[in-house]
Amino acid sequence: MKDDALWYEAAQVVGVTNALNVVADALGAGTPGLLALDPAAAPDEARALFDEVRAFYHAAEVPLPFRLMAHDPAYARDVWEAVRRAFDDNRLPRRLKEGLAFAVSLTSRSSFGTAFHLAEMRRLRVSERGVMEVLGVTQMFSSYTKIADTLQLEPDMGDIAPVDPSPAPGGQARGGRQVPSSRQVPSSRQVSGTSRAKISKGERRVASKASRISASPAPAPVSRRVAKKPV
């Protein structure tokens, strides 16, 4: 897991970005029955949370998702802790994380997230050229992905990926130690390759069809004997 720490860190940014975008885009500031909380009228627990959020973003205003979630201060606190942990400087710098969050917001068509993370990138001194670089990469790979999904193309980059020494589920670990049975794949044929290898869409379709066929009852045998004509 140590070697994959960068990927886990990036995945956390993607996850919490989507979590905030969903709340802000779906509810907005004026949804009947669930209005965004006014910081001036907020209870003490929510007001303390708002102060931390403002300090983290160096902003006078509290971002909309937190004002919506703060109707349940304990829940808002849990989400905020996850956001702060995901976006803090760690193995990946915060500027890079804001660029990633901007790309996620673009691809998910989040009006809140796109504007918010663009503002954060600029606050962190990402230049106009840097913003356009993120925009270009996001647009290009979104286009490639849509084309590949439409044509149901299979990935062909597995051979150039770094070698992963960890065993496949159910395979042999280093030193010949068997992977615990709880991690084995319940299949008559073990999946070969690295732990990151994925079964292709075509193989999944074949496996799904085979499972449906095997689960369906066998048809009744058809007699091939020719009926005798009456005398």
Side-chain angles (χ1 to χ4, degrees):
M1 182 172 176
K2 180 180 179 181
D3 295 337
D4 291 334
L6 294 174
W7 298 107
Y8 282 104
E9 195 170 329
Q12 290 169 358
V13 171
V14 173
V16 298
T17 297
N18 276 304
L20 295 181
N21 290 352
V22 164
V23 172
D25 291 329
L27 297 177
T31 300
L34 188 60
L35 300 177
L37 194 62
D38 180 3
D44 292 342
E45 188 177 359
R47 193 172 301 178
L49 172 66
F50 289 165
D51 288 343
E52 292 181 27
V53 174
R54 288 193 193 96
F56 186 79
Y57 290 113
H58 297 272
E61 299 294 328
V62 180
L64 176 59
F66 297 104
R67 291 191 286 122
L68 288 165
M69 292 183 289
H71 288 284
D72 183 345
Y75 170 67
R77 166 66 62 180
D78 288 342
V79 175
W80 164 239
E81 294 292 344
V83 171
R84 182 169 58 185
R85 178 174 178 80
F87 277 91
D88 257 339
D89 286 311
N90 199 344
R91 293 175 179 86
L92 298 177
R94 187 169 173 187
R95 276 163 50 107
L96 176 61
K97 292 177 178 181
E98 287 296 345
L100 177 57
F102 176 60
V104 169
S105 300
L106 281 172
T107 55
S108 60
R109 301 180 183 181
S110 169
S111 56
F112 164 80
T114 300
F116 179 75
H117 294 291
L118 176 59
E120 279 296 285
M121 290 171 68
R122 287 175 169 160
R123 183 181 69 80
L124 295 171
R125 301 185 182 279
V126 177
S127 66
E128 198 71 22
R129 182 175 178 180
V131 171
M132 293 307 299
E133 190 171 334
V134 175
L135 179 64
V137 170
T138 305
Q139 182 269 333
M140 187 60 65
F141 276 91
S142 293
S143 173
Y144 289 161
T145 300
K146 291 299 182 184
I147 292 172
D149 287 346
T150 300
L151 298 178
Q152 297 186 359
L153 301 180
E154 302 297 341
D156 57 358
M157 301 179 67
D159 294 336
I160 67 175
V163 176
D164 184 353
S166 59
Q172 294 288 335
R174 289 180 177 177
R177 180 177 60 82
Q178 183 75 15
V179 176
S181 58
S182 61
R183 293 175 56 190
Q184 292 184 358
V185 178
S187 172
S188 58
R189 179 171 63 89
Q190 294 294 345
V191 179
S192 60
T194 67
S195 61
R196 292 198 187 100
K198 294 182 179 178
I199 300 175
S200 69
K201 293 180 181 177
E203 289 174 326
R204 287 200 297 270
R205 288 195 295 270
V206 172
S208 176
K209 184 176 181 180
S211 64
R212 290 197 300 271
I213 293 174
S214 62
S216 61
V222 178
S223 174
R224 296 181 180 275
R225 295 171 61 185
V226 179
K228 293 182 180 181
K229 294 182 179 180
V231 179

